[in-house]
């Protein structure tokens, strides 16, 4: 049998962002014509490595060889000339330009001093036909669906003679049908001898489409294996470096008799119907249910972010009126929204400004001036307490991993000194290590007699963390489960009304 030909070889790749090392001496080879999976938790360094290969970032150290030759990839255009194209995780398309203009962005065809639009239009059309993509080249990007935008990115990456095509988490925003279309396209490209790198953190997908898989963890290479020699369990272990069972700290019941929050007959719109619940001091209380069952809306109503039609809210036994978030904060309520990037952190603010966003007026004003020293000291304290990985307190949040963003968001609310913290999907989209840290943090809160409500669609999380759990269904409380009653079966049954196993016969 012939030795497979090595197309790309990475040796000792290091990447540092202001002296924080995010890739640490990564070395592996990519064979001509293979689909190589690249898998790892959020923040493992996958995108960074792919950006280095496609000329978007520059490596700090290490060498790249292509066809055995030392190769420099100083920018994106050079990468394309070398035959390396990328379909990035965040699309890079210009909304007010057409499909064909985007496909040729940075590689425009000229006729004298002018753009040769008709030639570009023609070639873009031909390219889309080769890829069997049903897209009108004259449409504007703003008119396209996510899957269509991805098609444009693929066509754009393929427009020069592409030998290596990188897909960075291409399936995250696609429906199952669209994923299948993408995979069949990848198989067709493989027949045409295109080498592909497929970045994902979904094990099943990688097992499905790839020939080999490289695992990255914390910026380091863990392994390179043939898919045939792997199963999802082995892969999961390599990815997180430990068993899943160690994720949750041991459960403790630190509930006091006393209630800090009582909600009675709350109704708001058609998502919150006659909801009643209560929260003990020091309790970790779960809210389980399907997406869309009204959990978020219930908490938004409690926080004064939604109009109430009826209901009473009592804090430490006293009825209160909460008309807006400010009222909620003054009653000791804090709320970590599930929409971290939309309703939470400010991406182009640094850590300091993100943390003091709510507490600024109460804590950091000296007359008309901000007490920068106190504000910075507070940030430094939280960076330390939450183990936030950042070059400095002045780093902007957009450069952070999901886990670090979430920690900053938590720090902001801690800075308001809450007695009740409501966390909506607190660990969504963050890596396993940050998850564990957040779970430990919630335990520390309960130790400090602060009460927590966790809304989660991950049953594991409710089961692993909570003393009690309400299950919501269609805007109503379906049941309240206590300690040992918090099981997968009970949650599923109450969330759906369907007994497990009953929906399928046999
Ligand atoms: N431009 C940047 N500036 C600073 N840090 C960055 C930048 N890009 C990525 N990082 C950091 O590098 C680490 C790896 O990120 P990334 O490569 O995006 O991970 P993955 O794609 O595996 O989820 C993260 O901690 C992230 O915050
Ligand atoms: Mg990524």
């Amino acid at each position: 049998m012939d030795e497979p030909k090595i197309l790309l070889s990475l040796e000792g790749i290091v990447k540092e962002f202001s002296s924080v090392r995010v890739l640490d001496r990564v070395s592996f080879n990519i064979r001509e014509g293979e689909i190589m999976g690249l898998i790892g938790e959020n923040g493992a360094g996958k995108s960074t490595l792919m950006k280095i290969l496609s000329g978007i970032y520059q490596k700090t150290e290490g060498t790249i060889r292509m066809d055995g030759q030392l190769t420099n990839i100083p920018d994106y255009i050079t990468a394309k000339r070398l035959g390396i194209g990328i379909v990035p995780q965040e699309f890079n398309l210009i909304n007010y330009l057409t499909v064909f203009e985007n496909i040729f962005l940075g590689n425009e065809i000229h006729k004298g001093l002018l753009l040769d639009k008709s030639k570009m239009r023609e070639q873009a059309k031909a390219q889309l036909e080769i890829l069997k993509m049903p897209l009108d080249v004259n449409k504007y990007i703003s008119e396209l669906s996510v899957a269509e935008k991805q098609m444009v990115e693929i066509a754009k990456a393929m427009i020069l003679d592409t030998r290596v095509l990188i897909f960075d988490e291409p399936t995250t925003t696609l429906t199952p049908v669209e994923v299948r279309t993408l995979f069949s396209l990848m198989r067709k490209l493989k027949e045409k001898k295109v080498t592909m790198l497929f970045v994902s953190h979904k094990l099943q997908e990688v097992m499905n489409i790839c020939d080999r898989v490289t695992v990255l963890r914390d910026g380091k290479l863990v392994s390179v294996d043939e898919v045939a020699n792997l199963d999802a369990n082995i892969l999961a272990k390599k990815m997180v470096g430990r068993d899943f069972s160690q994720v949750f700290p041991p459960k403790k019941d630190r509930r006091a008799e006393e209630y800090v929050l009582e909600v009675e007959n709350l109704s708001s719109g058609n998502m919150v119907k006659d909801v009643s619940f209560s929260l003990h001091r020091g309790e970790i209380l779960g809210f389980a249910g399907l997406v869309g069952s009204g959990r978020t809306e219930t908490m938004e109503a409690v926080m004064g972010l939604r109009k109430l039609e009826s209901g009473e809210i009592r804090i430490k036994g006293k009825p209160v009126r909460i008309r807006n978030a400010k009222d909620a904060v003054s009653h000791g309520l804090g709320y970590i929204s599930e929409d971290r990037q939309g309703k939470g952190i400010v991406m182009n603010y640094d850590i300091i400004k993100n943390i003091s966003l709510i507490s600024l007026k109460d804590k950091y004003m000296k007359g008309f001036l901000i007490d920068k020293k106190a504000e910075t000291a507070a940030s430094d304290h939280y960076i330390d307490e939450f183990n936030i990985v950042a070059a400095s307190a002045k780093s902007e949040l957009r450069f952070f991993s999901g886990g670090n963003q979430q920690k900053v968001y938590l720090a902001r609310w801690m800075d308001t000194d809450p007695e009740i913290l409501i966390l909506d999907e607190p660990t969504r989209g963050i890596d396993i290590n940050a998850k564990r840290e957040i779970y430990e943090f919630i335990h520390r809160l309960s130790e400090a007699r602060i009460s927590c409500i966790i809304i989660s669609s991950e049953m594991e999380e409710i089961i692993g963390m909570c003393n009690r759990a309400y299950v919501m269904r269609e805007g109503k409380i379906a049941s309240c489960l206590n300690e040992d009653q918090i099981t997968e079966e009970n949650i599923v049954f109450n969330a759906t009304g369907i007994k497990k196993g009953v929906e399928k016969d046999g």
Side-chain angles (χ1 to χ4, degrees):
M1 222 176 83
D2 286 345
E3 274 288 299
K5 181 175 178 269
I6 304 294
L7 177 58
L8 272 174
S9 123
L10 312 182
E11 286 154 44
I13 305 293
V14 169
K15 178 66 184 174
E16 291 178 350
F17 289 108
S18 24
S19 82
V20 177
R21 190 170 277 215
V22 302
L23 286 174
D24 191 11
R25 286 163 296 169
V26 173
S27 309
F28 65 97
N29 294 327
I30 298 149
R31 297 172 183 163
E32 181 141 60
E34 78 173 333
I35 304 184
M36 169 67 98
L38 182 61
I39 195 161
E41 288 281 314
N42 279 322
K46 306 179 296 290
S47 292
T48 302
L49 187 59
M50 295 303 104
K51 284 178 182 166
I52 289 173
L53 273 181
S54 51
I56 300 167
Y57 286 165
Q58 293 306 300
K59 58 185 163 31
T60 309
E61 281 171 37
T63 54
I64 300 172
R65 281 170 212 276
M66 195 164 184
D67 298 314
Q69 304 287 317
L70 265 184
T71 306
N72 233 335
I73 314 177
D75 53 52
Y76 170 76
I77 298 296
T78 309
K80 277 193 110 169
R81 304 254 148 87
L82 286 166
I84 303 173
I86 185 167
V87 179
Q89 191 167 4
E90 293 95 22
F91 294 158
N92 235 328
L93 302 171
I94 302 198
N95 272 327
Y96 58 82
L97 292 181
T98 60
V99 167
F100 82 86
E101 286 167 316
N102 271 280
I103 290 178
F104 279 94
L105 206 64
N107 278 302
E108 289 83 358
I109 302 174
H110 293 265
K111 197 170 160 185
L113 288 174
L114 299 173
L115 290 178
D116 191 345
K117 287 211 178 187
S118 60
K119 197 162 190 183
M120 290 194 281
R121 194 177 283 127
E122 228 168 79
Q123 289 193 9
K125 227 178 189 165
Q127 178 70 274
L128 290 170
E129 257 157 44
I130 295 170
L131 298 171
K132 300 220 165 28
M133 292 173 175
L135 256 187
D136 178 355
V137 291
N138 296 312
K139 265 200 170 172
Y140 287 94
I141 298 299
S142 52
E143 301 171 90
L144 305 183
S145 71
V146 174
E148 288 172 326
K149 286 181 191 167
Q150 186 176 64
M151 289 181 192
V152 178
E153 284 283 8
I154 295 172
K156 181 177 156 197
M158 295 290 297
I159 196 70
L160 298 180
D161 233 353
T162 300
R163 299 177 67 194
V164 184
L165 185 55
I166 299 169
F167 292 92
D168 194 354
E169 310 244 10
T171 61
T172 330
T173 47
L174 300 185
T175 65
V177 176
E178 290 164 347
V179 171
R180 240 175 291 149
T181 312
L182 174 69
F183 283 4
S184 73
L185 171 70
M186 288 175 71
R187 294 200 176 96
K188 261 181 247 145
L189 292 174
K190 195 177 162 181
E191 283 166 19
K192 295 191 172 133
K193 305 276 181 280
V194 176
T195 305
M196 280 168 277
L197 279 151
F198 177 75
V199 180
S200 179
H201 59 262
K202 293 185 192 155
L203 307 172
Q204 277 316 326
E205 288 183 357
V206 171
M207 305 282 294
N208 184 338
I209 191 80
C210 299
D211 300 300
R212 294 195 300 158
V213 189
T214 297
V215 180
L216 280 185
R217 192 198 311 146
D218 299 331
K220 295 194 178 72
L221 182 88
V222 176
S223 60
V224 182
D225 297 285
E226 301 278 341
V227 163
N229 302 334
L230 288 171
D231 66 41
N233 276 330
I234 304 179
L235 207 49
K237 248 193 190 155
K238 287 181 183 234
M239 206 164 110
V240 301
R242 85 177 78 73
D243 282 338
F244 282 108
S245 57
Q246 286 166 273
V247 173
F248 297 103
K251 258 192 184 179
K252 286 222 172 80
D253 186 359
R254 302 193 179 89
R255 278 177 286 181
E257 194 68 23
E258 165 198 7
Y259 290 117
V260 284
L261 174 68
E262 291 159 284
V263 170
E264 244 168 63
N265 309 113
L266 198 72
S267 290
S268 168
N270 41 26
M271 298 298 279
V272 185
K273 299 177 196 156
D274 202 23
V275 169
S276 301
F277 68 92
S278 55
L279 172 70
H280 291 277
R281 184 179 291 285
E283 181 170 35
I284 303 178
L285 178 68
F287 264 75
L290 302 178
V291 171
S293 58
R295 297 165 300 170
T296 296
E297 290 79 3
T298 298
M299 295 311 154
E300 286 181 347
V302 170
M303 287 298 292
L305 303 171
R306 265 171 201 274
K307 241 183 129 166
L308 303 188
E309 267 105 59
S310 64
E312 182 173 277
I313 298 174
R314 288 191 297 275
I315 301 254
K316 293 188 261 182
K318 277 199 210 100
V320 292
R321 274 201 64 192
I322 301 175
R323 287 152 305 185
N324 50 40
K326 200 164 160 253
D327 286 350
V329 172
S330 72
H331 287 297
L333 285 158
Y335 178 56
I336 308 282
S337 162
E338 64 179 332
D339 184 6
R340 179 167 61 234
Q341 297 193 346
K343 296 182 183 165
I345 52 166
V346 185
M347 296 293 262
N348 57 350
Y349 275 16
D350 61 15
I351 299 186
I352 302 174
K353 276 169 92 177
N354 263 290
I355 290 182
S356 64
L357 201 67
I358 303 174
S359 47
L360 187 68
K361 257 204 187 133
D362 286 338
K363 280 192 164 168
Y364 305 113
M365 294 306 287
K366 253 189 193 163
F368 290 112
L369 296 174
I370 299 173
D371 182 352
K372 293 264 185 207
K373 234 175 160 176
E375 201 192 16
T376 308
S379 286
D380 287 341
H381 160 77
Y382 289 115
I383 289 173
D384 193 45
E385 174 177 359
F386 285 100
N387 187 21
I388 296 168
V389 182
S392 88
K394 291 221 151 58
S395 311
E396 287 177 28
L397 271 275
R398 63 197 161 103
F399 298 125
F400 286 26
S401 66
N404 279 312
Q405 290 177 353
Q406 186 71 335
K407 289 175 182 179
V408 172
Y409 191 17
L410 274 172
R412 172 195 303 164
W413 277 105
M414 289 322 294
D415 208 43
T416 68
D417 304 317
E419 284 187 78
I420 299 165
L421 194 60
I422 302 170
L423 303 112
D424 197 347
E425 305 285 1
T427 66
R428 184 187 281 164
I430 72 180
D431 63 272
I432 195 93
N433 285 316
K435 269 189 186 182
R436 208 178 25 138
E437 287 174 306
I438 287 175
Y439 297 143
E440 278 164 7
F441 168 70
I442 293 172
H443 269 259
R444 288 205 299 278
L445 289 182
S446 127
E447 234 169 334
R449 295 169 51 80
I450 294 170
S451 314
C452 295
I453 295 177
I454 303 177
I455 299 181
S456 178
S457 300
E458 281 185 50
M459 269 186 283
E460 276 184 37
E461 203 159 271
I462 300 280
I463 298 166
M465 287 295 292
C466 299
N467 304 122
R468 254 187 338 141
Y470 289 91
V471 186
M472 286 190 74
R473 179 164 91 233
E474 292 166 7
K476 296 188 181 132
I477 300 279
S479 81
C480 176
L481 307 171
N482 214 336
E483 296 286 1
D484 296 345
Q485 297 170 333
I486 311 176
T487 62
E488 191 178 327
E489 207 178 345
N490 283 338
I491 294 174
V492 171
F493 172 61
N494 285 294
T496 62
I498 301 168
K499 267 253 189 292
K500 216 178 163 188
V502 172
E503 71 270 40
K504 282 187 231 141
D505 41 21

